[in-house]
């Protein structure tokens, strides 16, 4: 490999597995290991960031060590309505964020998101997943999802209600009302959030 090991073997739609040898790469490609099937890890292989998609094609990606950053945004008909940056602080075993930091989007990234939205006429929520290389200072795009991320409620806690902005603009358009231009919705300050789990009684089993 041009970049050497370790590398990530990724599914076409979801999942990634950190591999340190050619043998692990081939095992993941062929789906012959428990780790590739979403179970226990193969010998020496790193933990999967998500359950590997076994139905589609797979590809190998350079592994870049560093903090993961996600940029969520909302747009309507090519107009950027708002965006927010989230840095993963604590992850689950599957690589899902459990605790993160929310911050305003850097000017360079904001400009890139706005250009993308304008050129594609984008409507809806979106999520850009990146990794920040601590050595070079470069930021690499590793994934794009045409939807809001699962942590989007936390953005509203900063005053950056991306879902509300999108719904309000869509309703105004549907009703033929010219929406007032209030500027781009973005966090006014940084915020650290954590996910929580609640147990809810669904059925009373007492006789």
């Amino acid at each position: 490999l041009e970049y050497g090991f370790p590398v990530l073997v990724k599914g076409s739609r979801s999942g990634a597995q950190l591999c340190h040898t050619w043998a692990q790469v081939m095992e993941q490609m062929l789906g012959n290991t428990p780790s590739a099937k979403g179970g226990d890890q193969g010998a020496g292989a790193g933990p999967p960031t998500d359950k590997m998609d076994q139905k589609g094609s797979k590809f190998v990606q350079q592994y870049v060590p560093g903090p993961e950053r996600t940029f969520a945004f909302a747009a309507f008909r090519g107009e950027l309505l708002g965006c927010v940056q989230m840095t993963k602080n604590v992850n689950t075993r599957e690589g899902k964020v459990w605790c993160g930091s929310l911050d305003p989007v850097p000017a360079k990234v904001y400009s890139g998101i706005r250009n993308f939205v304008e050129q594609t006429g984008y409507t809806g929520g979106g999520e850009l997943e990146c990794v920040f290389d601590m050595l070079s200072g470069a930021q690499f795009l590793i994934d794009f999802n045409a939807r809001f991320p699962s942590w989007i409620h936390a953005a509203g806690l900063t005053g950056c209600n991306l879902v509300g902005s999108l719904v309000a603009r869509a309703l105004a358009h549907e009703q033929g009302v010219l929406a007032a231009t209030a500027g781009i919705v973005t966090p006014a300050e940084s915020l650290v959030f954590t996910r929580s789990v609640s147990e809810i009684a669904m059925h009373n089993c007492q006789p």
Side-chain angles (χ1 to χ4, degrees), residues 6-198:
V7 296
L8 288 171
V9 177
K10 306 188 72 174
S12 60
R13 290 176 291 182
S14 65
Q17 181 74 37
L18 186 64
C19 297
H20 298 271
T21 66
W22 268 117
Q24 291 175 2
V25 170
M26 295 310 298
E27 287 174 348
Q28 296 299 323
M29 286 290 191
L30 297 175
N32 292 333
T33 66
S35 57
K37 297 175 183 176
D40 296 333
Q41 302 170 39
T49 59
D50 199 354
K51 185 176 180 180
M52 182 75 73
D53 175 18
Q54 297 298 317
K55 296 182 179 180
S57 59
K58 300 174 186 176
F59 62 94
V60 178
Q61 185 179 71
Q62 178 187 6
Y63 174 67
V64 179
E68 296 181 37
R69 294 175 178 172
T70 296
F71 301 93
F73 66 91
F76 186 76
R77 295 200 167 191
E79 177 188 359
L80 182 61
L81 304 178
C83 50
V84 61
Q85 171 184 292
M86 188 276 290
T87 302
K88 294 182 178 181
N89 295 336
V90 178
N91 294 349
T92 65
R93 180 182 180 278
E94 292 76 21
K96 304 300 183 182
V97 61
W98 194 255
C99 177
S101 301
L102 296 172
D103 298 285
V105 177
K108 185 176 181 179
V109 178
Y110 163 77
S111 178
I113 294 176
R114 183 182 62 183
N115 290 338
F116 165 75
V117 165
E118 292 177 348
Q119 292 176 20
T120 60
Y122 196 92
T123 292
E127 177 190 27
L128 298 170
E129 297 185 37
C130 303
V131 61
F132 183 76
D133 188 345
M134 301 293 289
L135 297 178
S136 67
Q139 191 158 247
F140 296 89
L141 175 66
I142 58 176
D143 201 1
F144 170 73
N145 298 306
R147 54 160 174 72
F148 286 120
S150 59
W151 52 266
I152 196 63
H153 170 67
L157 301 178
T158 68
C160 184
N161 189 346
L162 298 179
V163 178
S165 298
L166 178 58
V167 171
R169 182 57 58 90
L171 288 176
H173 177 79
E174 182 71 19
Q175 298 169 2
V177 177
L178 183 62
T181 302
I184 299 295
V185 177
T186 189
E189 58 184 11
S190 300
L191 172 78
V192 176
F193 72 92
T194 186
R195 313 291 288 273
S196 64
V197 177
S198 299

Side-chain angles (χ1 to χ4, degrees), residues 198-206:
S198 299
E199 285 73 32
I200 301 175
M202 299 295 294
H203 178 68
N204 187 350
C205 298
Q206 297 294 327

